[in-house]
Amino acid sequence: MKKSFFVVAFACLAITVVLTGCRHENTACDDAQMRVFVDKLMAQMTLEEKLGQLNLPVTGNIVTGAARESNVAEDIRQGRVGGLFNLKGVKPIREVQRIAVEESRLGIPLLFGMDVIHGYETVFPIPLALACSWDMDAVEQSAQIAAREATADGICWTFSPMVDVCHDGRWGRISEGSGEDPYLGSRIAEAMVHGYQGASLADSATMMACVKHFALYGLVEAGREYNNVYPDDFHAFNEYMRPYKAAIDAGAGSVMAAFNTVHGIPATGNRWLLTDLLRGQWGFRGFVVSDYTGLEELQENGVCSSLEQSAIQCLDAGLDMDMVSNGLVSLADAVRGGRCSMQQVDAACRRMLEAKYKLGLFDDPYRYCDTTLRKSVILSDTHRAVARRIAGESMVLLKNDNRLLPLSKRGTIALIGPLADTRPNMSGRWAVAAVPERYKTVREGLQDALRGTGARLLYAKGSNLMYDAQAEAIATMFGREMRDPRSAEAMRAEALSIARQADIIIAAMGEASEMSGECASRVNIEMPDAQHDLLLELAKLGKPIVLVHFAGRPTVLNWETDHLPAILESWFCGSESADAIADVLFGDVNPSGKLVVQLPRHVGQYPFSYRQYRTSRPNTGGGFGKFSTCYADVSSHPLYPFGYGLSYTQFAYTNFYLTDSIMPLDGKVEAHVTVTNTGDRTGAEIVQLYIGDRVAKGVRPYKELRGFERLTLQPGESREVVFTLDADLMGYYEPYDLTWTLEPGEVEVMIGCNSRDTQMQLLKIK
Ligand code: NOJ
């Protein structure tokens, strides 16, 4: 018999639930029981207690907006708090939950949320990197492990996945999403939700997902953080909305409203968005939380002139929980004065209680507070091994002239660069639960890999991140300072002297982890000056250089591509990234990651995506062509295309055919291709399917991803890959009425190893 910790007043109700053997799966029976339970509970609640359930005040020491003072404990006792976030550890969480359960009138348990974005203490690659694995099992497994660790530490709700499609490398938060493609982004959104929530939230090793930032945040104008967005519905629905919908369809229990406006109205207070679209059209049944102070920011937007007015608008729009603003919790007078509807308060309160019910908190408020789990679960060897494997899959080999990589474990290696020996940077931005002191630096990873081989590893920092100390302070805030007091000349001289002794140079350079993420927009996305100058000097030595490039965004790597023989885009791959970098550099792992954002030649190309819509004045070659869509001073093509990435082996694509050249609108056709590993190492290839709809009412992109498969092949092994094409797969939301359509005409079906290098077969749609 399940144990009910719920307070005396509700003991009978809880017992009823227990006796009926209710498991909190999403069945009709369970829904009915949940309704009865919540009805009875709500019948006991005062207006103030109902409003309290909608309140998510500031708690922990992690803030992403203005820090606030709050007397949380007293508010909890008074029933004015529905949940808390970013509080870490079973002990403090248990204590706070005890206050809610034992010292508030009704003893309603709290929800504990956290930004578990790419792992917990075992940190996985930043989402942008993880997406480059194109490995949906890995994505799901990373979320599952994150849930397992977080729930072992008191957390039952994560503010993830972030599914904002983004075409702009200037935006720092591109690091938190899955890149530029809506199809891939949707598959990742589903995998993340499945990973976090598992088959049932009744399993205490799963947690509730929160899809964010709804909606269109990835479109911030000019890539500037918190800026406005201006998409039209046609493009919004065909691109940006799709991963949110995929996450909802996958069962995400909650949604976070974005900071930006949609149709000129702030998302947090946007009834069309949160009610008509999300609940009405998409059938979402969970709850919506605002982003940090998002509710009160309606006043900054100039659409409301008081906190009360903001709260009324947001509640009316369909917002259920207010993060930090204390707006919804203060609505009692407005309700009593008839300025705000009691029905809406009830609806929001019900959704919050339902979420707690689904998570089993009414059965056992401490079900995520098992003090014995930490030791065996969190940062376990098994989890670390998985994270290391996934980190290896997420890095992208951009260049490898004359098969410089993999390196042999002999001779003298000079490891140089400001990212070579820095622990706090390894996990990447927005790893709230990270314990950097338990992670290795690149230097330590390489040392361990070379131990016992006789190879010598020399190290020099070589430069600071950038010359300007103040700019570096901004780039390394939140405790990741790494400034070296020595002069640039002294540091460079040291680096050159060790480089001269070496057979090969590994340069660990690029962005520090805080240079991407929230409020880290940048217009200069090239190698920071001090590091560029150092590379220039190192290159003059004429020794082979491997650039291990750290970044949380797509960057401009023109000079590096022109002057260095090997470049590994290592992003920020989490707690195990040092070992994973060594695995890839020395060939224990064959790189297989492929870019989910194309790399530009110039920041001025943004916004920029391979999903280029047909224009009336096309430009085929990318170069200058008078009166065609182009730039006069830079190619309009990327430096590295979407879907691109090298391996230590090679793959050949042969025998590409369609089972029919004509497809009825309601029919199906298969696309077949044979992929062969023609090299001498086992490797994984990501086979990509693109379509280009030549004739449609609405203008379509030349190429858009509509399928992919990741396969591992032994040397000499071949495998046939089959994609099934139909209207569901190839359709689009047509202009104005936005219904999913495929029209008669011609569709180019393209298959290849990246978005540029494809083979094409024409399919007629009748
Ligand atoms: C602000 C961020 O936009 C959001 O992604 C995050 O979940 C919240 N802060 C809570 O930390």
Side-chain angles (χ1 to χ4, degrees), residues 64 86 115 159 173 212-213 256 259 291 323 430 518:
T64 55
N86 288 350
D115 286 287
F159 301 144
R173 297 197 85 169
K212 68 186 189 185
H213 304 83
M256 186 184 291
F259 286 126
D291 202 343
M323 190 190 290
W430 219 204
E518 186 170 351

Side-chain angles (χ1 to χ4, degrees), residues 730-749:
M730 293 191 294
Y732 77 110
Y733 292 99
E734 67 174 30
Y736 298 115
D737 65 359
L738 299 171
T739 47
W740 188 259
T741 315
L742 182 68
E743 297 152 31
E746 287 178 338
V747 173
E748 293 173 8
V749 178

Side-chain angles (χ1 to χ4, degrees), residues 5-274:
F5 288 74
F6 197 41
V7 283
V8 183
F10 292 95
C12 301
L13 277 172
I15 288 164
T16 314
V17 170
V18 171
L19 289 179
T20 50
C22 181
R23 305 278 306 154
H24 297 162
E25 276 126 25
N26 238 351
T27 61
C29 138
D30 199 52
D31 279 1
Q33 284 166 358
M34 178 167 74
R35 219 173 2 256
V36 171
F37 180 87
V38 171
D39 279 346
K40 291 195 178 159
L41 177 50
M42 284 180 62
Q44 320 270 328
M45 295 172 78
T46 63
L47 169 60
E48 281 77 4
E49 283 164 340
K50 288 177 179 171
L51 291 170
Q53 288 303 306
L54 320 187
N55 195 24
L56 185 65
V58 72
T59 348
N61 33 23
I62 302 133
V63 290
T64 55
R68 295 279 160 82
E69 285 292 320
S70 72
N71 186 357
V72 182
E74 189 47 30
D75 284 345
I76 294 171
R77 282 187 197 100
Q78 297 305 320
R80 285 198 296 258
V81 177
L84 295 176
F85 67 107
N86 288 350
L87 187 64
K88 191 181 178 213
V90 165
K91 247 176 109 190
I93 289 180
R94 200 170 237 285
E95 172 51 20
V96 177
Q97 191 69 299
R98 192 198 58 74
I99 299 176
V101 172
E102 292 181 13
E103 299 182 21
S104 73
R105 190 178 77 90
L106 293 175
I108 300 174
L110 300 170
L111 207 55
F112 288 93
M114 188 185 262
D115 286 287
V116 182
I117 306 297
H118 51 113
Y120 194 70
E121 288 193 14
T122 301
V123 183
F124 291 91
I126 57 166
L128 184 69
L130 181 62
C132 291
S133 72
W134 299 58
D135 182 343
M136 297 309 107
D137 293 337
V139 171
E140 182 168 337
Q141 198 183 7
S142 74
Q144 197 177 42
I145 289 175
R148 194 154 172 62
E149 292 198 3
T151 53
D153 218 18
I155 306 298
C156 57
W157 178 36
T158 176
F159 301 144
S160 173
M162 191 274 223
V163 304
D164 305 320
V165 168
C166 179
H167 295 178
D168 200 328
R170 293 171 295 184
W171 191 45
R173 297 197 85 169
I174 198 169
S175 61
E176 288 180 56
S178 301
E180 65 179 65
D181 186 74
Y183 178 85
L184 178 61
S186 300
R187 301 294 77 77
I188 291 174
E190 291 159 0
M192 294 291 283
V193 171
H194 291 147
Y196 288 135
Q197 298 194 164
S200 165
L201 288 172
D203 176 350
S204 62
T206 64
M207 61 182 166
M208 187 174 277
C210 181
V211 54
K212 68 186 189 185
H213 304 83
F214 193 58
L216 313 176
Y217 189 21
L219 273 152
V220 283
E221 195 176 45
R224 204 180 74 226
E225 185 62 299
Y226 312 129
N227 207 356
N228 296 309
V229 308
Y230 307 103
D232 57 73
D233 279 351
F234 178 72
H235 294 96
F237 277 80
N238 276 297
E239 293 187 53
Y240 304 94
M241 287 295 191
R242 291 178 58 191
Y244 305 112
K245 176 153 191 318
I248 304 299
D249 290 346
S254 64
V255 166
M256 186 184 291
F259 286 126
N260 52 270
T261 61
V262 173
H263 294 157
I265 297 173
T268 317
N270 189 317
R271 192 172 168 79
W272 172 80
L273 186 71
L274 302 188

Side-chain angles (χ1 to χ4, degrees), residues 231 269 369 459 649 713:
C369 292
Y459 161 76
T649 189
L713 297 174

Side-chain angles (χ1 to χ4, degrees), residues 571-582:
W571 309 113
F572 290 98
C573 277
S575 52
E576 313 312 308
S577 46
D579 285 333
I581 287 169

